[in-house]
Amino acid sequence: MSIFSSDLTWILLLPVLGGVGVYAFPTKIARWWALVFSALTFALSLFIFFRVLNAKGINGFGDLNNLADQVKVNWINLKAGSSHFTVQYFLGVDGLSLPMVILNALLTMLAVIGGWKKKRVKDYLALILFLEAGVMGVFMALDIFFFFLMWEVELAPMFILIGVWGSDAIKHGVPGRIYSAWKFLLYTFFGSVFMLAGFILLYFHVGSSDMQYLSSHLIGGSTTILGIPVAFQLLTFLLVFMAFAVKIPMFPFHTWLPDAHTDAPTEVSVLLAGVLLKMGAYGLIRFCFTLFPGGMAQFAGWLAVIAVINILYGAAICLVQKDMKKLIAYSSVSHMGIILLGVAAAAGAGNLIFTGALAGGDQAFRQVALTGATLQMFSHGIITGMLFFCVGVVYDLAHTREIAIFGGIAKRMPMLGTLFTFAAMASLGLPGLAGFVAEYMVFTSSFRIWTIPTLIAVFTMILTAAYLLWMIKRVFFGPFNQKWNWLTDASARELVPLFALAGLIVFVGVYPAPLINMISSSITPIIHSAVTMIK
């Protein structure tokens, strides 16, 4: 099959064509060109979803070895004597990756609408579309080296978007946008070096870069490091895990995130929180859990501890933030910790890691934990995206995000105040909204596996409610600060992304079954395969 006859190829190409095409038109037309191509990408992702739904049903989205859609051809094939090196152009989607593809397409389309009036708008929108293509490649690539290529591709547009359109506030003697762009790049590149080392080790031990082959031919054996025997399962896991830990971000590799969010333009913050952080969580499930179940099992206890630190530290530090955007950035550190806890619960339990204790009920709890962690990836993406859009509306008018200098501005911005409060309620896990479903699944299932860490983590919900309600009260309610008497409410264009995300938050919160069933169709085989391989 030709790669151009596959819908997945066009998921990659449409944003690239849209990004290149904006330069062929005047600015007014270029905006609509970018919007049309981002909308086409979103429509195509939905078309794939409904095509599979109609053909196989909601439980038919498959897993790595039974993909809903795929395209696979040899891309690089080098031979030297009896040795060869092969990299495949291998794209595929299943119940794990397709929700992330749809989320990326939706948020990019809304980011194009949000960035309608940016300076140098053609460059800005082109880079957003190039970023979308890179992230799409990460979620669909099923060759480890092609995945690594896509992982690196997204760095360039994000670096430029922060470095050119970011904040000019001085940090460490340079504009904040420059400082934060370089910090983002260096942290991510640092993790990528370890990932590449892990992939090379994996390739030369197993002899393939094909994820389907690797998932059924796990790396085995051991080596000695400083006189200590180390299993290759654990070694390769730790190398690859490092890149995902930085991207999630996991404590103590999180410090790049608040700076990047604070200095990035609104739409870039939406994409950073909505989909780029999810690349790390997705990689943890798709690669580490699938290819290194033994390494994951050995590290599960530490992962549970780190997850609790992420959850508590992120929430606690939100309580002292003075900047709305930085507060939401640190809340992402906390909420991504919930994903880590779900993965840790799925991976093991104390001394009974992937043993006979996984049979029956325990295995079911692990499946629910990993499904909840994946659902949290989607829910956090739409909720945090809405929060950042709300902050962006305030900042574009007031040119400040400092919490203390506002007060009662819901009097001048009633619609934005209502939507901001709604997004905050979703973020703190109000029942009936998307945030509640994922957190409930993770906490109730992980309690059976990691009881004490889960009990500690659950109390963070009190801190989450405290910092979000405190921010909303000080900014939108209470005595009205006459200084802001000139403020106007959100415009029709600014309301489009907010209402779109609000509708989706309600839908997922009230009727999460389709999304849960789609995710479960991939998670169930992952858990079963991991248990079988370890046994």
Side-chain angles (χ1 to χ4, degrees):
M1 179 179 68
S2 168
I3 62 173
F4 296 107
S5 63
S6 169
D7 293 333
L8 302 185
T9 295
W10 288 104
I11 288 279
L12 282 184
L13 285 182
L14 281 173
V16 175
L17 294 174
V20 173
V22 298
Y23 294 104
F25 303 100
T27 299
K28 289 184 179 180
I29 299 176
R31 291 190 182 103
W32 287 101
W33 175 273
L35 180 59
V36 166
F37 272 80
S38 62
L40 285 173
T41 306
F42 178 55
L44 183 56
S45 67
L46 290 179
F47 171 76
I48 295 172
F49 168 78
F50 285 111
R51 185 184 65 199
V52 178
L53 181 65
N54 291 332
K56 301 180 180 180
I58 194 62
N59 295 310
F61 284 86
D63 63 312
L64 183 59
N65 294 303
N66 185 28
L67 295 166
D69 197 359
Q70 70 174 36
V71 55
K72 181 195 293 190
V73 296
N74 282 346
W75 179 38
I76 299 173
N77 194 8
L78 303 176
K79 293 184 178 180
S82 59
S83 301
H84 68 279
F85 178 76
T86 302
V87 178
Q88 294 175 316
Y89 175 83
F90 186 5
L91 301 178
V93 291
D94 61 0
L96 174 61
S97 57
L98 188 55
M100 296 298 103
V101 169
I102 295 172
L103 177 64
N104 184 32
L106 171 64
L107 292 181
T108 300
M109 181 177 67
L110 298 180
V112 169
I113 296 172
W116 206 254
K117 294 185 177 181
K118 279 288 188 291
K119 296 179 180 179
R120 297 177 58 183
V121 68
K122 291 202 286 187
D123 296 329
Y124 187 74
L125 296 181
L127 286 166
I128 284 180
L129 291 173
F130 294 151
L131 177 65
E132 178 184 23
V135 176
M136 287 297 191
V138 168
F139 289 137
M140 295 191 297
L142 293 175
D143 179 286
I144 57 174
F145 292 118
F146 189 61
F147 172 86
F148 178 79
L149 175 64
M150 292 295 101
W151 184 273
E152 296 302 295
V153 163
E154 59 83 18
L155 290 181
M158 179 58 75
F159 174 77
I160 298 171
L161 283 165
I162 297 174
V164 174
W165 285 272
S167 169
D168 285 321
I170 300 300
K171 285 185 178 179
H172 303 282
V174 296
R177 54 189 171 82
I178 303 298
Y179 173 81
S180 297
W182 276 107
K183 193 172 183 179
F184 161 78
L185 183 68
L186 292 175
Y187 266 69
T188 308
F189 187 74
F190 168 79
S192 298
V193 172
F194 289 92
M195 179 198 288
L196 182 59
F199 282 165
I200 291 173
L201 178 65
L202 179 64
Y203 180 86
F204 284 105
H205 271 77
V206 181
S208 176
S209 59
D210 186 321
M211 278 286 294
Q212 289 179 329
Y213 182 87
L214 291 171
S215 65
S216 58
H217 296 78
L218 299 184
I219 187 171
S222 63
T223 186
T224 301
I225 301 177
L226 299 177
I228 303 172
V230 179
F232 278 125
Q233 270 277 317
L234 179 60
L235 179 59
T236 49
F237 162 75
L238 292 174
L239 289 171
V240 175
F241 172 71
M242 184 63 72
F244 301 145
V246 171
K247 187 69 87 175
I248 284 175
M250 185 189 79
F251 180 90
F253 307 110
H254 66 285
T255 58
W256 65 270
L257 182 65
D259 286 320
H261 270 312
T262 304
D263 294 313
T266 297
E267 299 74 28
V268 177
S269 288
V270 169
L271 295 174
L272 178 58
V275 289
L276 265 74
L277 304 189
K278 309 311 178 294
M279 289 165 49
Y282 169 81
L284 190 59
I285 299 172
R286 169 65 79 203
F287 289 85
C288 293
F289 213 105
T290 304
L291 303 184
F292 320 117
M296 278 286 292
Q298 290 179 263
F299 195 72
W302 290 107
L303 190 60
V305 171
I306 295 169
V308 173
I309 293 173
N310 254 58
I311 295 169
L312 287 176
Y313 171 79
I317 205 167
C318 283
L319 293 171
V320 298
Q321 295 307 310
K322 300 178 180 179
D323 183 295
M324 284 187 283
K325 209 173 185 185
K326 185 166 281 192
L327 183 148
I328 298 170
Y330 275 109
S331 77
S332 290
V333 175
S334 181
H335 283 95
M336 293 302 289
I338 296 174
I339 298 174
L340 288 174
L341 182 61
V343 174
N351 294 321
L352 299 176
I353 299 175
F354 282 130
T355 66
L358 275 172
D362 271 6
Q363 187 168 331
F365 278 112
R366 283 165 171 76
Q367 180 181 327
V368 173
L370 200 57
T371 301
T374 307
L375 182 61
Q376 173 72 355
M377 290 161 57
F378 188 91
S379 298
H380 178 262
I382 56 178
I383 294 170
T384 309
M386 185 175 178
L387 285 169
F388 277 119
F389 271 126
C390 288
V391 173
V393 174
V394 175
Y395 181 76
D396 287 344
L397 289 170
H399 301 294
T400 182
R401 298 183 299 261
E402 188 177 347
I403 296 171
I405 67 174
F406 289 101
I409 64 171
K411 179 179 180 180
R412 299 295 304 162
M413 310 177 83
M415 182 62 73
L416 182 66
T418 301
L419 290 169
F420 208 146
T421 303
F422 170 86
M425 294 299 106
S427 185
L428 63 83
L430 185 71
L433 301 179
F436 171 78
V437 182
E439 292 183 18
Y440 178 81
M441 291 179 70
V442 171
F443 287 138
T444 54
S445 55
S446 64
F447 177 80
R448 175 66 177 79
I449 314 299
W450 298 108
T451 303
I452 294 176
T454 304
L455 285 174
I456 296 172
V458 165
F459 282 103
T460 309
M461 297 179 69
I462 300 173
L463 298 180
T464 304
Y467 66 70
L468 286 170
L469 295 177
W470 172 77
M471 176 185 68
I472 292 296
K473 176 185 179 297
R474 297 185 71 191
V475 174
F476 287 97
F477 302 103
F480 177 58
N481 186 344
Q482 293 295 330
K483 174 182 178 179
W484 306 110
N485 197 45
W486 55 272
L487 285 176
T488 58
D489 213 344
S491 66
R493 176 184 61 81
E494 292 168 330
L495 288 174
V496 169
L498 298 179
F499 276 115
L501 293 173
L504 189 55
I505 288 169
V506 172
F507 178 80
V508 174
V510 173
Y511 187 50
L515 189 55
I516 290 174
N517 290 337
M518 178 168 61
I519 293 169
S520 294
S521 66
S522 290
I523 295 302
T524 303
I526 289 176
I527 292 290
H528 177 74
S529 176
V531 174
T532 302
M533 289 294 181
I534 293 299
K535 286 182 178 180

